[in-house]
Amino acid sequence: MKKLWGGRFEGESQKWIDEFGASIEVDQVLAEEDIIGSLAHVKMLAKTSIILQEEADEIIRGLEILLVKAQKKELVFSIANEDIHLNIETLLHKEIGLVAGKLHTARSRNDQVATDMHLYLKRQVGEISGSLMDLEKVILLKAEKHVETIIPGYTHLQHAQPISFAHHLLAYYNMFKRDLERYQDSLKRIDCSPLGAAALAGTTFPIDRLDTAEQLGFSSVYSNSMDAVSDRDFILEFLSNSSILMVHLSRFCEEIILWTSHEYQFVSLTDAFSTGSSIMPQKKNPDMAELIRGKTGRVYGNLFSLLTVMKSLPLAYNKDLQEDKEGMFDTVKTVKDCLNVFAGMLDDMIVHEEKMSEATTKDFSNATELADYLASRGIPFREAHEIVGKLVLKCLKNGNYLQDISLADFQEAAPIIQEDVYSLLESRVAVERRNSLGGTGFVQIRTELEKAKKECQLN
Ligand code: ARG
């Protein structure tokens, strides 16, 4: 079959080589962006008198027919036409005849494909940002219900100090807030038009790049044509931002998985977000959380794959760049799915407040309270630490806890200790009193919650 670029070729193309070189199976996702980009280009070609208005009108008519078909997923593509750009041009030719050949004046597939991807990613980052905001709201509404729910705070996965469950949830809110900021910041670079860079060096035609950029809704244009066609930083940045987002989802999932286990029993997931076992009738597994944790791997993989493709690429366009799409599409789908499933799962998650707070009553997570008690009464903190350490050791030997120690025994260890120590050893009091800026104290959390709700337009 004759190629659109086939003039200087004599040999027949071979199907298996065509198949290897083709990207249509992957890049057909960009059909609408490709047509929209072409519409802007052809309108500009007429405005600048590079082609006649009648010619442009005919091309526009054809492209609009194709756009409707693309929206209905009715376009039929062929591997022989290699990629989305040549497929659309071929279809346009079938629709309107020879005049279709004028569309590619002052343009190359190199600036065309880059334009398509900028358009695509701009829309997708907008949609992902929307899902992130929905998730933030779910977290805040949950946190609001659990300001006074006490849960062990862990370091090294060992009970450290009691905290408010809302504080734990708000930690994730802050991570997702940063994720959203990163995506929004990346828009500055995504929202930039490469169209008009042509193959790599610009063009001799009097094109108007600012016009096409404006038509396509881009707020800036690449200022160097070589950079415009070979830059994939904006995709790397998207993949990197998405990887960091997946870190957060995966950490949260890991915690939920732990919390649903028999050992914790802090939360339950609803049936909709769980699955059973084909052999063990009692099982209810947190599969969705595990799957999100697992899918983090492919998102990291997509980042590493493109970083590796880009490494050592000489300027400007190289066919290697065709490998930039699959991972980007996969990441878009994965991130969207994970965000939506996770938000639903969290929204439905049942919190067992009793179990959470119970876990802070028979432990030593109030040891810092006792050390602070001594330190605030003049004993140097290091000394206080040593005294409490010894008391913990004694309790471990006796099989009891700090709050079970008699006042006489306390005073033997440190005469300064009075009856008032007991109330401070209660986990709820310990949480409430940690009122330093950004701490887990209820006043701090309520302030943070109010701030966050404003950020999310929740009040
Ligand atoms: N399918 C190609 C890609 O995705 C389009 C650009 C092709 N350009 C070229 N000079 N072969 O990168």
Side-chain angles (χ1 to χ4, degrees), residues 23 27 82-83 85 109-110 113 317 319 321-322 325:
S23 56
D27 62 20
E82 199 177 321
D83 58 21
H85 326 293
R109 275 185 294 159
N110 299 349
V113 69
Y317 181 84
K319 185 78 165 180
L321 290 174
Q322 183 165 286
K325 291 171 202 65

Side-chain angles (χ1 to χ4, degrees), residues 209-358:
R209 290 191 59 206
L210 299 181
D211 175 82
T212 47
E214 198 191 317
Q215 286 190 64
L216 293 170
F218 284 121
S219 48
S220 62
V221 295
Y222 275 86
S223 58
N224 179 298
S225 59
M226 294 184 77
D227 184 35
V229 291
S230 62
D231 171 39
R232 296 296 182 268
D233 292 0
F234 67 106
I235 304 180
L236 287 173
E237 213 176 322
F238 168 72
L239 298 174
S240 161
N241 293 342
S242 301
S243 295
I244 299 173
L245 163 62
M246 292 304 295
V247 173
H248 302 148
L249 283 177
S250 177
R251 291 181 75 178
F252 209 162
C253 282
E254 168 72 8
E255 297 209 287
I256 291 173
I257 293 162
L258 286 172
W259 293 342
T260 57
S261 71
H262 187 74
E263 284 67 24
Y264 285 78
Q265 298 181 39
F266 287 175
V267 301
S268 299
L269 297 175
T270 51
D271 287 358
F273 294 95
S274 313
T275 47
S277 154
S278 57
I279 172 171
M280 298 166 281
Q282 87 285 10
K283 287 302 287 283
K284 184 173 166 187
N285 298 325
D287 277 30
M288 299 309 128
E290 292 167 66
L291 203 49
I292 294 169
R293 188 178 59 183
K295 282 186 187 285
T296 303
R298 64 198 296 152
V299 175
Y300 293 1
N302 292 335
L303 169 63
F304 272 83
S305 146
L306 187 60
L307 280 171
T308 314
V309 167
M310 297 306 296
K311 169 186 175 297
S312 319
L313 272 195
L315 291 180
Y317 181 84
N318 300 271
K319 185 78 165 180
D320 314 43
L321 290 174
Q322 183 165 286
E323 285 294 305
D324 61 359
K325 291 171 202 65
E326 209 167 342
M328 175 178 72
F329 296 148
D330 183 71
T331 294
V332 164
K333 178 169 169 26
T334 306
V335 164
K336 279 182 167 175
D337 289 351
C338 288
L339 278 172
N340 295 337
V341 171
F342 187 84
M345 180 175 78
L346 185 69
D347 195 23
D348 268 19
M349 188 176 85
I350 301 149
V351 177
H352 303 303
E353 302 167 19
E354 236 82 297
K355 289 275 181 197
M356 285 181 171
S357 67
E358 216 177 277

Side-chain angles (χ1 to χ4, degrees), residues 354-392:
E354 236 82 297
K355 289 275 181 197
M356 285 181 171
S357 67
E358 216 177 277
T360 66
T361 53
K362 295 226 172 315
D363 70 353
F364 290 98
S365 62
N366 52 4
T368 316
E369 304 311 309
L370 186 54
D372 285 354
Y373 177 91
L374 297 175
S376 64
R377 281 157 184 76
I379 298 179
F381 185 78
R382 275 289 146 247
E383 208 177 299
H385 187 288
E386 177 74 16
I387 295 169
V388 179
K390 291 237 161 66
L391 287 171
V392 168

